[in-house]
Amino acid sequence: MTSYGIIGTGHLGSMLAEEFVRRGAISREELWVSNRSQEKAQRLARKLGVRAADNLKVAERSDVLFLCVRPVDLKGVIAETSELLTPEKLIVSVAVDFSLRQLENLCRARAARAIPSVASGKGLGVTLLVLGSDASEDDRSLALSALRVHWLAGGGGRGAAGGAIRSHQQRARVYLCHPQGVRPGSLYAGWKGG
């Protein structure tokens, strides 16, 4: 059984936890949550019927770990949990201002980035998923099954997500995820190299 963790239960972390449970993408017994304020993590755990613990225990217990902390706090969380972030684990960061390359350089775990839209909390949004160079097809399946979406392969693009992709376009695999299925078009639309 695959276990999942979320470190950071602010807006995005709580939204992901609620959607994972609501949609049945992750069973309550398989989901662990943590927050710098343990009281907040405990409240969310009681509300959803999941498990709450400190960052170290969540990192230890999780096969797939969603890092939903502010970019300014991400290095500290990775440093705190680095001994537990082994190559057998997949970390998925939602921090927009933190590159996939930085994630890969800070720990031994396989890395990915997920950039959900605000509408994702209502099951209507799009999530951009970028897999790192060491991530496997099994990692793709684990992340997509948690996000409970279909995928569209692509790459490139403009804006914050495009910048993240362009910096890794040779090695990364990029998926545009939508709960209603695959959307036509390519993430390359509107971006002409460079």
Side-chain angles (χ1 to χ4, degrees), residues 106-123:
L106 286 174
C107 68
R108 297 172 296 147
R110 300 177 318 274
R113 291 183 61 204
I115 305 171
S117 67
V118 175
S120 296
K122 300 293 182 193

Side-chain angles (χ1 to χ4, degrees), residues 24-45:
I26 300 173
S27 74
R28 293 175 188 342
E29 299 80 31
E30 297 171 328
L31 184 58
W32 292 79
V33 296
S34 180
N35 195 66
R36 67 179 171 213
S37 158
Q38 281 302 304
E39 181 181 314
K40 188 173 186 178
Q42 293 289 343
R43 256 193 327 266
L44 181 64

Side-chain angles (χ1 to χ4, degrees), residues 163-181:
I165 297 163
R166 282 194 301 273
S167 69
H168 255 60
Q169 77 179 53
Q170 297 303 321
R171 296 186 299 148
R173 283 141 302 151
V174 181
Y175 304 92
L176 181 62
C177 311
H178 190 279
Q180 306 302 316

Side-chain angles (χ1 to χ4, degrees), residues 6 8 18 35-36 58 61-62 71 74 86 91 144 187:
I6 297 174
E18 289 171 8
N35 195 66
R36 67 179 171 213
V58 170
R61 301 287 178 141
S62 302
L74 192 55
T86 62
I91 59 169
L144 293 178
L187 293 176

